Amino acid sequence: MLASTTKGLLQRFINPRSCRREFKVAVVGASGGIGQPLSLLLKQNPLVGELSIHDMKNIKGVQADLSHICTSVQTNAYEDQELGDCLAGADVVVVPAGMPRKPGMTRDQLFEANAGVALRVACAVSESCPQALLAFVTNPINSIVPIAAELLKSKDAYDPRRLFGITTLDVVRASTFVGDFLNLNPRKVDLPVIGGHAGKTILPVFSQCCPSFQCQLEDIKRLTHRIQEAGTEVVIAKAGAGSATLSMAYAAARFVNSLLRGLNEEPDVMECAFVGYKSPCLPFFATPLVLSDKGIEKNLGLAASGRFRAGVPGANAARAGEEHTEGHRLCQREY
Ligand code: LMR
């Protein structure tokens, strides 16, 4: 026993990556438009040991399909009343379940349809895996996260470090649109997006963009509007067939990967997400976070850390792009 502990410590000292752990991830709503591509991406994640998928129907077929993919991730499917079994022992629970928008709707209008789903999942988490990190994709994020927090509080299972609304798609879109604007690879653009996940609450912080760049105020207004309305752009383009699924799955998979890297004790893992915030007049807010084995290690607050400001002020964009810090690239590395 002692010998194996010493061996583990030695391995860690020699090669920290050799101590990689594998985690159980549960996806609730896994047979839906986001849930399926999200599960596909997680089936390929080397930090996932077990992928436990749940939905009200069609989940056995999704699991049979996923299980043929030649990765070592174990997949298990659970239907309807089996939510508790699905979640038991999960390290991370990610929730894409819920109704999508149709053209002309705001995210707020989904509250009635989706709040019950979120409450049911939060309740099951409090009973089956109260230590898990719980991350919602379900809209409206700005209201779903606060009601899930209230439910968890009522069960004495609320820890603000472990509850997240996933806003990574806003960050992904910001990188894409600014990358297009600067004619740069979007992976080299890091722009924190704070606030919330609906219309004007989506606030890209251009002053903290890496690389830093200068442009006309009109360009900033145009880029801000595009980032804020990008979800609606997809809803309109899909003409009644739902909202973003593929880009949302990509963003959620990136966020889950970052949560897992934090759980795996990798340093400097950063993402923006909508979480409990310390101010009484802003009880929930999306901010840049440092993630760790506790979930949120540090909330970097409204003024993001130096990592997000690593560009060279005044330098031309392409050159500043080359000077991206390693810490910056961490979140984008595998996705
Ligand atoms: C998005 O941003 O694409 C999602 O929140 C879905 C939506 O309704 O816009």
Side-chain angles (χ1 to χ4, degrees):
M1 169 70 178
L2 189 63
S4 73
T5 311
T6 313
K7 194 173 157 211
L9 284 172
L10 201 61
Q11 270 181 352
R12 187 178 195 121
F13 181 70
I14 296 166
N15 177 10
R17 293 186 76 88
S18 71
C19 294
R20 194 184 72 209
R21 284 172 56 208
E22 290 183 347
F23 298 93
K24 173 169 173 174
V25 177
V27 181
V28 182
S31 71
I34 300 168
Q36 288 202 38
L38 172 59
S39 301
L40 172 63
L41 292 167
L42 293 173
K43 178 76 169 80
Q44 299 168 69
N45 189 316
L47 289 173
V48 181
E50 183 182 346
L51 182 60
S52 193
I53 59 176
H54 176 275
D55 216 320
M56 305 304 279
K57 52 183 184 188
N58 299 336
I59 198 65
K60 301 285 178 195
V62 174
Q63 188 268 338
D65 196 356
L66 283 172
S67 71
H68 291 184
I69 297 169
C70 56
T71 67
S72 61
V73 179
Q74 290 292 319
T75 54
N76 295 306
Y78 299 87
E79 281 172 335
D80 199 13
Q81 299 306 320
E82 300 169 331
L83 183 57
D85 297 331
C86 173
L87 301 182
D91 298 290
V92 173
V93 178
V94 56
V95 191
M99 294 293 292
R101 278 199 283 167
K102 293 207 179 334
M105 285 175 80
T106 63
R107 291 181 182 86
D108 257 6
Q109 290 169 317
L110 295 172
F111 184 77
E112 222 169 292
N114 291 346
V117 177
L119 291 175
R120 184 178 170 212
V121 178
C123 185
V125 165
S126 74
E127 286 161 7
S128 299
C129 54
Q131 297 308 313
L133 306 181
L134 172 57
F136 282 98
V137 173
T138 312
N139 268 321
I141 286 286
N142 292 3
S143 324
I144 289 293
V145 175
I147 60 156
E150 289 307 315
L151 187 291
L152 291 169
K153 278 180 204 165
S154 76
K155 300 278 179 187
D156 216 9
Y158 179 56
D159 179 347
R161 295 173 304 177
R162 294 201 301 262
L163 177 64
F164 306 85
I166 300 182
T167 59
T168 315
L169 183 51
D170 300 318
V171 177
V172 166
R173 286 167 169 157
S175 295
T176 305
F177 302 155
V178 171
D180 281 353
F181 176 73
L182 296 176
N183 203 18
L184 270 181
N185 180 342
R187 284 176 184 268
K188 294 196 183 259
V189 179
D190 220 328
L191 173 53
V193 182
I194 64 169
H197 181 66
K200 288 194 188 313
T201 69
I202 300 171
L203 301 168
V205 188
F206 284 93
S207 60
Q208 313 237 349
C209 184
C210 178
S212 59
F213 64 97
Q214 284 166 355
C215 65
Q216 302 296 316
L217 184 58
E218 279 315 304
D219 292 323
I220 295 292
K221 283 188 183 164
R222 203 171 37 76
L223 283 165
T224 301
H225 185 260
R226 175 115 196 258
I227 295 163
Q228 290 177 336
E229 293 304 319
T232 305
E233 185 180 316
V234 178
V235 170
I236 292 169
K238 290 199 173 180
S243 53
T245 50
L246 302 176
S247 51
M248 184 58 97
Y250 169 90
R254 167 174 143 175
F255 186 73
V256 170
N257 185 52
S258 294
L259 291 180
L260 296 175
R261 288 172 52 214
L263 287 177
N264 202 37
E265 297 179 36
E266 272 189 51
D268 292 335
V269 181
M270 275 183 269
E271 289 287 356
C272 293
F274 187 72
V275 298
Y277 195 61
K278 50 188 180 274
S279 154
C281 51
L282 267 185
F284 290 87
F285 208 74
T287 48
L289 311 166
V290 179
L291 302 169
S292 74
D293 59 340
K294 300 183 198 68
I296 300 173
E297 176 68 33
K298 191 168 180 204
N299 189 326
L300 298 175
L302 302 183
S305 84
R307 295 271 192 198
F308 282 98
R309 319 173 58 170
V312 181
N316 83 45
R319 169 136 182 73
E322 284 161 19
E323 296 186 18
H324 239 53
T325 63
E326 179 57 24
H328 227 102
R329 285 201 202 102
L330 285 173
C331 293
Q332 297 216 11
R333 195 173 55 199
E334 278 122 24
Y335 283 95

